[in-house]
Amino acid sequence: MTAQGQHLTSSTDVPRRNWAGNVRYAAGEFHRPTTVDAVRRLVAGSSRIRALGTGHSFNRLGDTTGDLVTLAGLPPTIEVDAERRRVTVAGALRYGDVARHLHSQGYALANLASLPHISVAGAVATATHGSGPTHGNLATSVAALELVTADGDLTHVDRDTDGDTFAGLVVGLGALGLVTRVTLDLVPAFELRQYVRLDLPVEALDEAFDSAYSVSVFTDWRTPRLREVWRKQLADQPPPEADWLGTTAADQPRHPVLGMPAENCTPQLGVPGPWHERLPHFKLGFTPSSGDELQSEYHLPRTAAAEALAALAEVAHLIAPVLQVCELRTVAADELWLSPNHRRDSFVVHFTWVDDADAVLPVLAEVEDRLAPFAPRPHWGKVFVTDPTELAARYPRHADFAALLTRLDPTGTFRTDLLDRYFPR
């Protein structure tokens, strides 16, 4: 059953592959509704349905053999509540577009991911990252959600009134409903400067992480030192000293992946600019890379950073040949049930691999084995091979989420094969 006028067949209307191209969606029908009522009818009449965001998941979390729907056709609303310092936005909007609007009104979000191209609802549903020792992932800024549940009802949940259940709903993996609107906390607009430093000694990593508002460290596992440190510091703070932590200053703009054009990246060299043009690594108007890649990401206790890096160094000879770049970050702890940062400050290891699953997967298995003593939690939307029993044990609220999933979606309307593997019925 299809909402009349909402079934689309043209491949130009709804993407048939994810952004990287490594997943071809198996959906039987694709939809682009233009009203919330049409979304409700579509969900109520579908036995299996999933929402498609901007396609930045690298696994089949968002895939289905039923209906696939993009909510990008809904009105692109952005409504600021100045009194409560919150903004309510259409879930399909990209963070970069929301950020520009907020900045024009004197507001900001406390954190952004490296890509401004990702959708708000999709990033929230997978606890997609930002970086900074005192900043949580993007889902921690969520104050309320509006979603269409499995029976087609439009439901509103709020952090202030729904308490613990709300903490289970926010990072919902798309399994609890189609999110139509998201309410986010705001802070006053601010400016940052971005400095890139070269050749950081590994033993200085922890100090580097605490040195600025947001810090990312890049390496290729080919040298003992860490290749680049991207420091995003408040504009009124002094620049790093010439010999800061034994590094040298980059004398020209850099791209994290060697050989890629630096013009795709946000301004560096200490030039001050608005928060939304410095926190991401990449400009909204540019494609950050070719898309010919796979990605994996693991969140570990921050206290285990040195030991985890030493463990990975033992297999650096396996990692380097299939790696484009590795990013190291920190994320603050939170209370969201399926957040990989649940109740622990995190050290994050992100791998951008070459686009060759046959070559990458054996190395990935070795990486997970080396990190296993530190109970790594993989990013839900990236490539991982973790055993379901082991993964469940790493989330104290895993059983609670499974129960919530059964209660809100008893017939499996929003389920996928990947969800069935990690949350079996």
Side-chain angles (χ1 to χ4, degrees):
M1 179 177 177
T2 305
Q4 186 175 3
Q6 303 305 324
H7 175 207
L8 302 178
T9 57
S10 169
S11 61
T12 60
D13 293 320
V14 183
R16 283 354 191 220
R17 292 181 181 270
N18 67 342
W19 171 78
N22 68 301
V23 174
R24 182 174 181 83
Y25 300 126
E29 298 194 44
F30 295 78
H31 310 267
R32 186 186 175 94
T34 56
T35 67
V36 172
D37 282 344
V39 176
R40 295 179 62 188
R41 292 194 301 270
L42 187 59
V43 172
S46 298
S47 59
R48 191 63 70 94
I49 189 169
R50 291 289 294 185
L52 172 67
T54 44
H56 282 87
S57 287
F58 288 80
N59 60 32
R60 293 192 172 274
L61 178 64
D63 196 19
T64 178
T65 55
D67 296 313
L68 196 63
V69 55
T70 174
L71 301 184
L74 298 183
T77 56
I78 302 177
E79 301 168 0
V80 173
D81 182 342
E83 183 176 349
R84 302 185 75 188
R85 197 174 282 183
R86 292 178 175 179
V87 62
T88 299
V89 306
L93 285 176
R94 301 183 302 174
Y95 267 97
D97 295 320
V98 172
R100 285 177 172 176
H101 181 87
L102 292 176
H103 186 74
S104 71
Q105 297 194 36
Y107 295 104
L109 301 171
N111 210 353
L112 289 173
S114 58
L115 292 178
H117 311 70
I118 57 178
S119 68
V120 174
V124 164
T126 53
T128 290
H129 47 71
S131 180
T134 63
H135 306 307
N137 64 60
L138 301 184
T140 61
S141 292
V142 176
L145 293 173
E146 179 187 273
L147 66 162
V148 177
T149 52
D151 53 10
D153 285 347
L154 186 64
T155 302
H156 182 88
V157 292
D158 191 284
R159 182 174 58 204
D160 297 335
T161 57
D162 293 287
D164 193 44
T165 300
F166 180 77
L169 282 161
V170 176
V171 184
L173 311 184
L176 305 175
L178 304 188
V179 175
T180 51
R181 282 157 59 94
V182 181
T183 300
L184 303 168
D185 295 324
L186 297 177
V187 298
F190 58 97
E191 286 202 339
L192 295 170
R193 299 176 187 266
Q194 182 168 219
Y195 294 91
V196 176
R197 305 289 301 197
L198 308 179
D199 298 322
L200 178 76
V202 173
E203 58 270 19
L205 179 63
D206 207 49
E207 186 176 350
F209 280 146
D210 288 328
S211 70
Y213 189 92
S214 176
V215 176
S216 290
V217 178
F218 295 96
T219 183
D220 55 16
W221 292 103
R222 294 179 184 275
T223 62
R225 289 195 168 208
L226 303 171
R227 195 182 72 210
E228 296 175 5
V229 184
W230 289 37
R231 300 178 73 251
K232 301 164 191 284
Q233 66 176 58
L234 294 173
D236 59 358
Q237 293 182 337
E241 298 175 355
D243 60 348
W244 179 76
L245 297 183
T247 63
T248 58
D251 59 2
Q252 60 184 352
R254 314 278 288 208
H255 190 291
V257 179
L258 294 178
M260 294 296 294
E263 66 175 341
N264 294 12
C265 298
T266 50
Q268 302 163 27
L269 303 178
V271 178
W275 58 281
H276 64 98
E277 294 180 359
R278 297 297 183 276
L279 279 175
H281 298 331
F282 304 103
K283 298 174 184 175
L284 182 62
F286 287 78
T287 301
S289 66
S290 64
D292 295 330
E293 63 196 59
L294 301 174
Q295 292 186 12
S296 301
E297 179 176 294
Y298 298 93
H299 296 240
L300 312 130
R302 180 167 175 184
T303 53
E307 291 178 90
L309 284 180
L312 290 175
E314 295 176 357
V315 290
H317 63 289
L318 300 178
I319 295 172
V322 292
L323 184 74
Q324 295 193 46
V325 72
C326 177
E327 180 179 3
L328 311 175
R329 293 178 286 106
T330 56
V331 182
D334 60 61
E335 289 293 323
L336 305 176
W337 293 4
L338 290 190
S339 166
N341 318 113
H342 179 76
R343 295 187 177 177
R344 69 185 194 191
D345 292 331
S346 300
F347 167 62
V348 184
V349 185
H350 175 102
F351 299 94
T352 298
W353 308 105
V354 299
D355 185 15
D356 184 347
D358 289 341
V360 168
L361 289 177
V363 176
L364 191 59
E366 188 68 32
V367 164
E368 291 197 5
D369 183 65
R370 298 293 173 140
L371 294 179
F374 316 108
R377 297 169 179 166
H379 186 295
W380 292 103
K382 315 247 177 188
V383 180
F384 60 94
V385 295
T386 313
D387 176 80
T389 302
E390 292 180 4
L391 188 65
R394 295 171 189 172
Y395 282 90
R397 304 301 297 269
H398 184 278
D400 294 323
F401 183 82
L404 183 64
L405 177 56
T406 299
R407 177 164 65 86
L408 294 184
D409 187 17
T411 61
T413 299
F414 303 115
R415 279 190 170 268
T416 67
D417 289 345
L418 190 146
L419 282 168
D420 285 341
R421 173 171 166 78
Y422 288 100
F423 299 92
R425 288 185 273 186

